[in-house]
Amino acid sequence: MAAVGNTLPRMQTIFRFSVIPQLPQNLEPLREMAFNLWFSWEPDATALFEALDPEMWERCYHNPVKLLQRVRQARLREAAEDRDGYVRRLGAVYRRFQDYLHAKDTWFSKNWPQELTGPVAYFSAEFGIHESVPEYSGGLGILAGDHCKAASDLGLPFVAVGLLYRHGYFRQRLNKEGWQEAVAMNINFNDLPVQEVRCPDGTPLTVQVDILGRPVTTKVWEIKVGRIPLFTLDTDVPSNREEDRLITSELYGGDIEMRIRQEIVLGIGGVRALKAMGISPSVFHMNEGHAAFLGMERIRQLMIENNIDFYPALQVTAASNVFTTHTPVAAGNDAFQPELMHRYFDSYARELRVGFDEFLKFGRAWNHQPSDPFSMTNLALRLSRRANGVSALHGKVSQKMWTCVWPNAPIHEVPISSVTNGIHLHTWLAPEMRNLYEKYFGSGWQDRIGDTDLWRRVSDIPDEELWSTHLLLKKRLIEFVRRRVREHRERLGESPDRLRSAMSILDPEVLTIGFARRFATYKRALLIFKDKERLISMVNKPDRPVQIVVAGKSHPRDDAGKRLIQQLYRIIHEPEFEGKVVFVEDYDANVARHLVQGVDVWLNSPLRPLEASGTSGQKVPPNGGINLSVLDGWWCEGFNGKNGWAIGAEIQGGSPELQDEVDAKSLYHILDQQVIPLYYAKPDGRLPLAWINLMRESIRSVSPVYNTWRMVREYTERFYAPAAHRGTRLQANNFAEATELGLWKRQIREAWPQAAVQEIVCDHPRHYEVLVGEKVPIRAKVFLGRIAPEHVLVEIYYGEAEDGELRNPATIRLEMEKQEGEGAYWYAGHIEAIESGAYGFNIRLIPTHPNLTQKHELRLVTWGNV
């Protein structure tokens, strides 16, 4: 039919295509840098991409690969012709990039060059490296990303393994009622800085895992993070069944069956992918329990390749595995019912040549019931000889949580230590602060961030310069928040007046408090609103007002967290808070970066001790902000009384409601009496001098310690190098020592029931009255039966006696004095009476062997009972 009048005929688009610009030859280095996330922590590299098209850079969400696919060809030609400007800048940045990639004098090469024959393999369910690769949900992923960046900076032999999610986590949208709605992301991998790993023949590399009796093909992708590769696995492969293609669809999505499938792909598929690429790690590091199946797959491979049994392979695997737990709440640890495990792992257990009940034991408490679930954290602890929490307090909490794995060990001897988390400083530091440090710390300061003497130079920065830089960052934050609020109002179809008013919310001159967290109930996002009238008074005080910026997501299935967001949304729309308390939608790394760089005060108010570490507060001090936090997680260690404020006091045995009441009153008191007066006190009428000094102390005390350079060095020295050494030793001579150790453990377990403490003698002349400075001689007769004495520790376990328990306990090893009959021995030693008080002691027996990593590795202890 012909067109009528000016109406064009309707045509259906059958084919679509994209036109991608061609990079001029002298701009080719941009492509290489776009495919390496090094750009994300190098401001000069980021600036090169942004300069091509600032508006497009924002629309592409800071994704250089996508930018280079969409920028106008004319703009590329213009940049290529700007030889004295853009091209020269590109050359300088590219040379730095190449120098970084090929540096030989790294920290690792100088200090530990012989310790790792293969790399550390770091497994995590999520990696938050940059907002352009949205494969993370929150703190766990951000920590994993920062860990990778620091490993790259330090030159550590290191590979990372994760999953590549087609829909990432989710984008957060709030509707008119303030209810969080999850918007799925449909990620085009061609737009990401990821590349297929290919076989020698050029075909994409795939590995297979078995799920419910069918093979599932998993494709392997690589993301370059500085010097290290992050390998990610993807089941969205045409040859897979539709349900299997969905396994890597969404981070933490689906039901419990989807979770176990994801963890099979991550743990088992990840080990197989490394094997297929010819990568032989010295150490495997599980970042949380999601990847714990990797331990069983390592055992299986060792058995097949070396023709050894399960238990020798277990010794090697556990000796060279490291496990980090992040979750101080039992419900936050993945666990699967026995019936589910049987469906997914019955045939796998047969490959391991262990009975299925024996297989289940590795994911259960030591003294378990047949109906107990299979815990991934239990599995990780059982298959790792080195485990840690992520702050000193969290390490202690974890010891108490997981006594079920070591039921005979005193809590303080449960073999879970701690490595306090840190941040990748160069990622989170504002470029303006970086320039300030460059000016006053001197060139090369970025390679000395752990040097406490270096950070003392913050006192050399003039008050005016430090304050003006901070105000610049705060203004940028406010401009960013205004844009985001306007976008939100526009999407909701609000009036033109409401759209215009969004551009005047907040005030750069007003004390600004930031709070950004996952909206889990224990994080207590609404604690500051507990006494609303008091907060209204603070927010609206004419001469000393306060404003608050809040951000955070709730898990899509956490309705309690969503209700918190909705409650907050309603509060901030009350007239007294309008424009002075603001919620920023869709919290992610980009929002976080603006917040931690621009706020005056960072508020953290979890219910102690449920914050494992809480690294967001560590990102604030290097940018000039100050922490106001409950003494939980890292702040227990970081707070020195002069670098911020501590909220409340822990109430032993109190209810959460009582703790809320106490902490809210403490928070208001600190704000009223300390924070607000100090911020607005300007003796010269211009600068808050006391506040600036507090900023300096915050920068000086936190920056050199709470960073991932220190953290990764600590992992290397305390975990990676010893684990690699022990794993290599157990594999030597065709697994001779591993085989001997496995056999020894079996023999000890069989013989241990006959071990006993038969008699304890205190040889002090006055028995129960001892003077300070005296020695208390102690002898013990023990029966070991057929166990050789060299394989038993005989110890005095003593401490301050209080209410039938021993406080601050310590141990002293007794030495054999003589043998008395077949299998019976006398041991002797003494306690030194150093301080007055009431003390108690007992004698215990623990099996020992040169190849044990943990004192309680066999979980066998015999106590005196005479």
Side-chain angles (χ1 to χ4, degrees):
M1 181 182 293
V4 179
N6 294 325
T7 305
L8 295 174
R10 298 182 63 186
M11 299 179 63
Q12 182 179 2
T13 300
I14 300 176
F15 299 106
R16 300 183 65 185
F17 60 93
S18 298
V19 177
I20 298 173
Q22 290 188 354
L23 272 179
Q25 187 60 37
N26 61 352
L27 299 188
E28 270 298 324
L30 285 173
R31 192 187 312 277
E32 185 180 348
M33 290 194 292
F35 278 93
N36 191 313
L37 290 170
W38 174 84
F39 81 84
S40 69
W41 68 90
E42 284 295 331
D44 290 343
T46 303
L48 282 172
F49 293 112
E50 184 178 14
L52 289 176
D53 188 333
E55 186 178 336
M56 180 68 74
W57 177 246
E58 290 300 322
R59 288 211 307 271
C60 292
Y61 216 56
H62 311 152
N63 180 343
V65 173
K66 197 170 184 178
L67 174 79
L68 294 181
Q69 293 173 349
R70 286 160 174 74
V71 68
R72 294 295 184 185
Q73 188 71 48
R75 175 62 188 121
L76 290 176
R77 283 196 296 268
E78 181 184 6
E81 292 166 3
D82 184 11
R83 298 185 180 278
D84 293 331
Y86 191 89
V87 175
R88 178 176 292 180
R89 285 169 56 201
L90 172 58
V93 173
Y94 185 67
R95 283 191 295 274
R96 280 171 45 205
F97 176 54
Q98 292 299 315
D99 289 345
Y100 177 89
L101 293 182
H102 301 107
K104 303 297 183 185
D105 58 341
T106 64
W107 172 83
F108 182 84
S109 67
K110 292 176 182 176
N111 294 278
W112 301 89
Q114 308 302 322
E115 294 303 317
L116 299 178
T117 56
V120 174
Y122 180 87
F123 282 62
S124 181
E126 52 176 301
F127 286 88
I129 298 171
H130 186 249
E131 60 266 21
S132 63
V133 187
E135 302 290 320
Y136 62 97
S137 71
L140 179 72
I142 296 295
L143 184 279
D146 281 10
H147 194 124
C148 291
K149 294 171 189 175
S152 171
D153 291 342
L154 296 172
L156 203 65
F158 195 91
V159 298
V161 179
L163 301 180
L164 189 62
Y165 303 97
R166 181 66 64 178
H167 299 291
Y169 191 42
F170 71 93
R171 302 295 299 269
Q172 181 194 53
R173 294 288 180 263
L174 301 189
N175 63 23
K176 290 183 178 182
E177 286 71 44
W179 188 253
Q180 174 183 289
E181 297 174 343
V183 179
M185 290 184 281
N186 188 19
I187 300 169
N188 184 345
F189 294 166
N190 292 325
D191 290 341
L192 296 184
V194 304
Q195 295 172 304
E196 294 176 324
V197 176
R198 294 188 173 271
C199 300
D201 63 2
T203 59
L205 176 69
T206 62
V207 295
Q208 289 187 335
V209 296
D210 185 87
I211 291 180
L212 297 178
R214 62 180 180 270
V216 174
T217 300
T218 302
K219 189 174 180 179
V220 185
W221 300 77
E222 180 182 0
I223 302 172
K224 292 183 172 67
V225 185
R227 300 182 178 109
I228 71 166
L230 163 57
F231 297 111
T232 55
L233 309 178
D234 164 31
T235 64
D236 190 9
V237 176
S239 61
N240 286 335
R241 290 165 53 160
E242 185 61 32
E243 62 186 291
D244 296 331
R245 296 183 69 169
L246 295 176
I247 292 174
T248 56
S249 174
E250 184 182 352
L251 173 60
Y252 303 143
D255 57 13
I256 194 69
E257 291 220 28
M258 181 60 75
R259 181 61 65 89
I260 197 172
R261 292 176 184 185
Q262 288 186 336
E263 295 181 356
I264 288 170
V265 172
L266 174 61
I268 297 175
V271 173
R272 293 180 183 178
L274 293 178
K275 181 73 176 175
M277 291 183 285
I279 298 171
S280 300
S282 295
V283 178
F284 284 75
H285 185 171
M286 292 169 266
N287 187 45
E288 198 50 281
H290 307 115
F293 290 135
L294 74 81
M296 286 299 183
E297 178 62 14
R298 291 192 64 202
I299 291 171
R300 191 191 70 85
Q301 290 189 6
L302 286 172
M303 291 173 64
I304 294 170
E305 294 164 10
N306 301 281
N307 194 28
I308 58 175
D309 292 332
F310 179 89
Y311 282 97
L314 168 63
Q315 309 313 316
V316 173
T317 296
S320 52
N321 277 352
V322 174
F323 170 57
T324 299
T325 176
H326 293 257
T327 310
V329 183
N333 294 268
D334 287 346
F336 306 114
Q337 291 303 315
E339 298 79 12
L340 190 67
M341 289 298 297
H342 192 278
R343 288 178 55 215
Y344 281 87
F345 282 94
D346 184 58
S347 62
Y348 193 85
R350 288 197 295 272
E351 290 186 56
L352 294 169
R353 302 199 295 273
V354 296
F356 190 74
D357 288 343
E358 183 72 9
F359 178 86
L360 285 183
K361 285 181 182 179
F362 287 91
R364 289 171 158 176
W366 193 254
N367 301 314
H368 58 271
Q369 300 299 317
S371 60
D372 286 351
F374 184 95
S375 161
M376 294 297 282
T377 301
N378 270 342
L379 178 64
L381 290 169
R382 290 286 301 274
L383 298 185
S384 305
R385 298 290 179 247
R386 289 172 172 82
N388 67 283
V390 290
S391 69
L393 176 61
H394 180 235
K396 294 176 181 177
V397 170
S398 298
Q399 287 179 312
K400 190 173 182 179
M401 277 183 67
W402 299 108
T403 53
C404 63
V405 183
W406 294 272
N408 296 315
I411 290 175
H412 73 282
E413 290 184 354
V414 168
I416 301 175
S417 60
S418 66
V419 177
T420 301
N421 280 347
I423 63 158
H424 187 251
L425 188 75
H426 300 332
T427 291
W428 299 101
L429 187 63
E432 293 81 359
M433 292 298 292
R434 185 187 295 229
N435 293 337
L436 202 59
Y437 295 150
E438 182 82 18
K439 180 177 179 181
Y440 290 98
F441 292 3
S443 61
W445 75 271
Q446 295 180 53
D447 298 322
R448 298 172 54 204
I449 60 174
D451 183 349
T452 54
D453 289 336
L454 173 80
W455 289 96
R456 291 193 180 98
R457 297 182 191 173
V458 70
S459 60
D460 296 339
I461 303 175
D463 294 340
E464 180 79 47
E465 210 163 342
L466 183 57
W467 186 245
S468 63
T469 302
H470 173 65
L471 287 183
L472 176 65
L473 298 177
K474 184 155 71 165
K475 288 175 182 174
R476 187 161 66 208
L477 164 65
I478 290 173
E479 289 168 1
F480 173 78
V481 171
R482 288 171 176 172
R483 290 195 303 272
R484 294 295 287 265
V485 171
R486 180 187 171 91
E487 289 168 7
H488 173 67
R489 292 179 180 179
E490 196 169 33
R491 182 170 52 78
L492 295 180
E494 297 193 10
S495 68
D497 284 345
R498 288 281 291 165
L499 297 183
R500 283 191 293 271
S501 68
M503 304 313 290
S504 59
I505 61 173
L506 305 179
D507 182 342
E509 299 298 323
V510 170
L511 172 63
T512 304
I513 298 172
F515 180 100
R517 295 288 187 285
R518 178 167 56 90
F519 264 69
T521 52
Y522 78 86
K523 292 181 182 284
R524 301 192 297 182
L526 301 187
L527 185 70
I528 195 170
F529 297 94
K530 191 168 184 63
D531 186 340
K532 203 157 57 170
E533 293 306 314
R534 191 165 181 183
L535 184 61
I536 287 171
S537 174
M538 290 181 185
V539 166
N540 292 285
K541 192 166 289 187
D543 56 336
R544 299 188 310 183
V546 174
Q547 59 193 16
I548 306 171
V549 182
V550 184
K553 293 178 178 178
S554 173
H555 188 280
R557 291 192 296 275
D558 181 8
D559 283 349
K562 292 180 191 176
R563 283 192 290 271
L564 282 178
I565 294 174
Q566 186 176 50
Q567 189 178 347
L568 173 63
Y569 188 81
R570 290 170 176 169
I571 289 172
I572 66 178
H573 283 80
E574 294 176 9
E576 297 87 351
F577 292 121
E578 185 75 39
K580 298 164 187 173
V581 181
V582 181
F583 186 88
V584 182
E585 207 176 40
D586 201 25
Y587 182 47
D588 67 355
N590 184 40
V591 174
R593 193 164 51 244
H594 281 86
L595 279 166
V596 299
Q597 291 175 2
V599 298
D600 298 304
V601 173
W602 191 256
L603 176 63
N604 187 33
S605 51
L607 187 65
R608 177 185 162 103
L610 301 182
E611 185 80 277
S613 181
T615 56
S616 61
Q618 298 172 348
K619 302 176 178 81
V620 175
N623 289 296
I626 303 167
N627 277 278
L628 168 59
S629 174
V630 170
L631 283 173
D632 197 6
W634 79 278
W635 191 232
C636 290
E637 305 159 55
F639 177 60
N640 66 11
K642 301 179 295 181
N643 60 354
W645 298 274
I647 299 170
E650 184 181 14
I651 301 172
Q652 298 291 342
S655 67
E657 292 75 19
L658 177 59
Q659 190 72 61
D660 286 354
E661 191 70 33
V662 170
D663 288 348
K665 288 180 178 177
S666 172
L667 173 57
Y668 292 131
H669 179 78
I670 292 170
L671 286 171
D672 249 342
Q673 302 300 314
Q674 299 179 49
V675 178
I676 297 171
L678 197 68
Y679 181 85
Y680 286 104
K682 299 179 180 178
D684 63 353
R686 297 184 309 110
L687 301 176
L689 300 179
W691 186 274
I692 294 171
N693 284 332
L694 188 60
M695 289 169 59
R696 285 198 179 93
E697 178 60 18
S698 177
I699 293 168
R700 183 204 64 76
S701 61
V702 173
S703 303
V705 180
Y706 298 96
N707 60 73
T708 45
W709 279 26
R710 184 273 310 158
M711 183 188 82
V712 172
R713 286 177 178 179
E714 198 172 337
Y715 273 116
T716 302
E717 294 162 358
R718 292 177 48 206
F719 291 79
Y720 298 158
H725 175 76
R726 183 57 58 92
T728 300
R729 176 175 169 177
L730 290 176
Q731 291 182 74
N733 301 317
N734 197 27
F735 294 81
E737 293 193 32
T739 302
E740 188 274 332
L741 180 60
L743 177 62
W744 175 84
K745 285 184 176 181
R746 188 177 70 190
Q747 293 171 341
I748 289 292
R749 288 195 174 102
E750 291 172 353
W752 193 258
Q754 61 187 299
V757 180
Q758 294 182 324
E759 188 177 348
I760 301 174
V761 179
C762 178
D763 285 333
H764 192 276
R766 292 189 302 280
H767 296 286
Y768 301 111
E769 292 184 358
V770 180
L771 298 177
V772 171
E774 290 187 330
K775 294 181 179 180
V776 183
I778 295 171
R779 298 169 66 242
K781 182 182 179 183
V782 303
F783 182 77
L784 303 181
R786 65 176 186 268
I787 304 173
E790 62 267 26
H791 289 153
V792 180
L793 281 175
V794 182
E795 294 181 328
I796 305 170
Y797 184 89
Y798 73 101
E800 302 168 50
E802 185 176 293
D803 299 327
E805 296 184 356
L806 297 182
R807 293 178 60 249
N808 303 316
T811 60
I812 297 171
R813 183 170 183 172
L814 298 181
E815 300 297 331
M816 191 202 297
E817 189 177 63
K818 62 180 180 179
Q819 183 171 358
E820 186 175 289
E822 187 69 27
Y825 308 86
W826 279 97
Y827 284 76
H830 64 267
I831 301 173
E832 291 192 26
I834 297 173
E835 185 54 82
S836 59
Y839 292 85
F841 73 91
N842 200 347
I843 303 297
R844 70 179 183 183
L845 312 178
I846 302 176
T848 187
H849 187 282
N851 277 327
L852 292 182
T853 304
Q854 300 170 347
K855 189 171 189 175
H856 293 282
E857 195 166 311
L858 273 75
R859 298 161 179 83
L860 297 173
V861 181
T862 295
W863 293 90
N865 188 24
V866 293

